[in-house]
């Protein structure tokens, strides 16, 4: 969660989905996921919370918002005449330490409220589905229309809902689809910029240590389970 949060533009949503997918991939009982598995809930929420702090890294160090929330914080800095970036560490160290202590204190406060209010907060799961689903549907309609005041967005939401229903019914995970929709435009723009910088030579990606690191992580995420199964099968045969 911290690693994803530190990457500008990704945010806690992507961190939560990635953590959920990885813990499901490595779980001994992946069939329990999607049915209230505590592993999935703990993984996604831990990554979601960790990404919040991680998003402050590029915001404070580079002046680049790591999420929508930090973009608002960055705007607040600009209103008060503060310029986020390396100069902020030199000119306003007291402000930075105040932010660090505030975030540390917030974690302890969340811990206290979480322990004391867990039983109360969990009662939301007791709401009858007959009330819950219509409410969610209405909020989805209002939210999709309110974004751009366009009925086209509402139609897209309805079509996506029908498509999502059939995808879930036939065993397709919604997480990769959501990540593709959220990150698709960002990835395309970044890839185009990188190709221009590398003078149309895509093999330059394999000369950069950070790119190689992410290629390696992608390879492991895709082939970790098959490799693990082969190793376990080989050990059993021996």
């Amino acid at each position: 969660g911290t690693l994803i949060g530190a990457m500008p533009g990704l945010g806690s949503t992507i961190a939560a989905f990635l953590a959920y997918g990885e813990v499901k991939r490595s779980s001994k009982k992946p069939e329990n996921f999607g049915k209230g598995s505590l592993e999935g809930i703990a993984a996604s929420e831990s990554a979601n919370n960790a990404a919040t702090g991680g998003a402050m890294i590029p915001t404070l160090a580079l002046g680049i918002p790591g999420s929508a929330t930090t973009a608002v914080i960055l705007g607040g800095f600009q209103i008060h005449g503060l310029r986020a970036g390396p100069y902020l560490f030199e000119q306003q160290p007291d402000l930075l330490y105040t932010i660090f202590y505030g975030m540390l204190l917030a974690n302890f406060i969340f811990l206290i409220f979480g322990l004391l209010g867990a039983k109360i907060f969990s009662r939301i799961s007791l709401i009858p589905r007959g009330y819950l689903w219509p409410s969610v549907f209405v909020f989805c309609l209002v939210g999709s229309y309110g974004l751009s005041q366009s009925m086209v967005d509402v139609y897209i939401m309805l079509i996506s809902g029908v498509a999502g229903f059939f995808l879930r019914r036939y065993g397709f995970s919604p997480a990769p689809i959501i990540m593709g929709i959220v990150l698709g435009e960002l990835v395309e723009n970044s890839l185009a910029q990188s190709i221009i910088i590398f003078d149309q030579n895509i093999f330059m990606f394999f000369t950069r240590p950070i790119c190689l690191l992410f290629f390696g992580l992608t390879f492991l995420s895709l082939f970790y389970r098959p490799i693990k199964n082969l190793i376990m099968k080989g050990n059993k045969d021996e």
Side-chain angles (χ1 to χ4, degrees):
T2 303
L3 179 63
I4 297 300
M7 298 180 186
L10 298 186
S12 56
T13 304
I14 302 302
F17 277 115
L18 284 175
Y20 182 86
E22 290 305 315
V23 75
K24 180 179 180 180
R25 188 194 305 272
S26 59
S27 175
K28 296 181 179 179
K29 297 180 179 180
E31 66 277 2
N32 293 336
F33 283 72
K35 302 176 183 179
S37 171
L38 295 179
E39 291 179 83
I41 296 172
S44 57
E45 287 303 314
S46 298
N48 175 59
N49 295 338
T52 303
M56 294 296 290
I57 297 174
T59 303
L60 297 176
L62 303 174
I64 301 173
S67 64
T69 305
T70 53
V72 175
I73 295 175
L74 193 61
F77 283 172
Q78 294 175 348
I79 291 174
H80 290 281
L82 299 172
R83 182 182 176 185
Y87 292 106
L88 188 63
F89 288 81
E90 298 178 1
Q91 300 173 357
Q92 298 285 342
D94 295 338
L95 173 64
L96 290 175
Y97 282 112
T98 301
I99 295 174
F100 297 155
Y101 290 136
M103 295 183 69
L104 179 62
L105 179 62
N107 280 281
F108 286 107
I109 294 175
F110 287 146
L111 174 63
I112 295 172
F113 275 95
L115 293 176
L116 295 178
K119 292 184 179 180
I120 299 175
F121 301 149
S122 63
R123 291 184 178 275
I124 192 173
S125 61
L126 301 178
I127 298 177
R129 292 189 176 184
Y131 298 106
L132 184 61
W133 290 119
S135 301
V136 172
F137 182 71
V138 171
F139 284 129
C140 289
L141 288 174
V142 174
S144 58
Y145 179 79
L147 185 62
S148 302
Q149 288 78 48
S150 172
M151 285 300 297
V152 175
D153 293 339
V154 177
Y155 298 145
I156 293 174
M157 185 274 295
L158 294 173
I159 295 172
S160 300
V162 174
F165 170 79
F166 286 104
L167 289 172
R168 285 294 299 271
R169 185 169 185 177
Y170 291 101
F172 290 90
S173 175
I177 300 174
I178 295 173
M179 289 175 59
I181 294 173
V182 173
L183 294 178
E185 183 178 359
L186 178 63
V187 171
E188 288 182 3
N189 293 335
S190 299
L191 178 62
Q193 293 172 1
S194 301
I195 291 176
I196 293 173
I197 293 172
F198 291 152
D199 195 22
Q200 313 297 325
N201 185 5
I202 62 174
F203 294 102
M204 288 292 291
F205 286 105
F206 298 96
T207 64
R208 305 291 180 174
I210 296 179
C211 289
L212 291 175
L213 172 63
F214 282 108
F215 283 142
L217 293 175
T218 303
F219 178 83
L220 288 176
S221 66
L222 291 174
F223 299 104
Y224 167 76
R225 196 165 189 86
I227 294 174
K228 181 181 177 182
N229 292 337
L230 287 174
I231 294 174
M232 293 180 62
K233 184 178 180 180
N235 293 335
K236 290 181 180 179
D237 292 339
E238 292 178 0

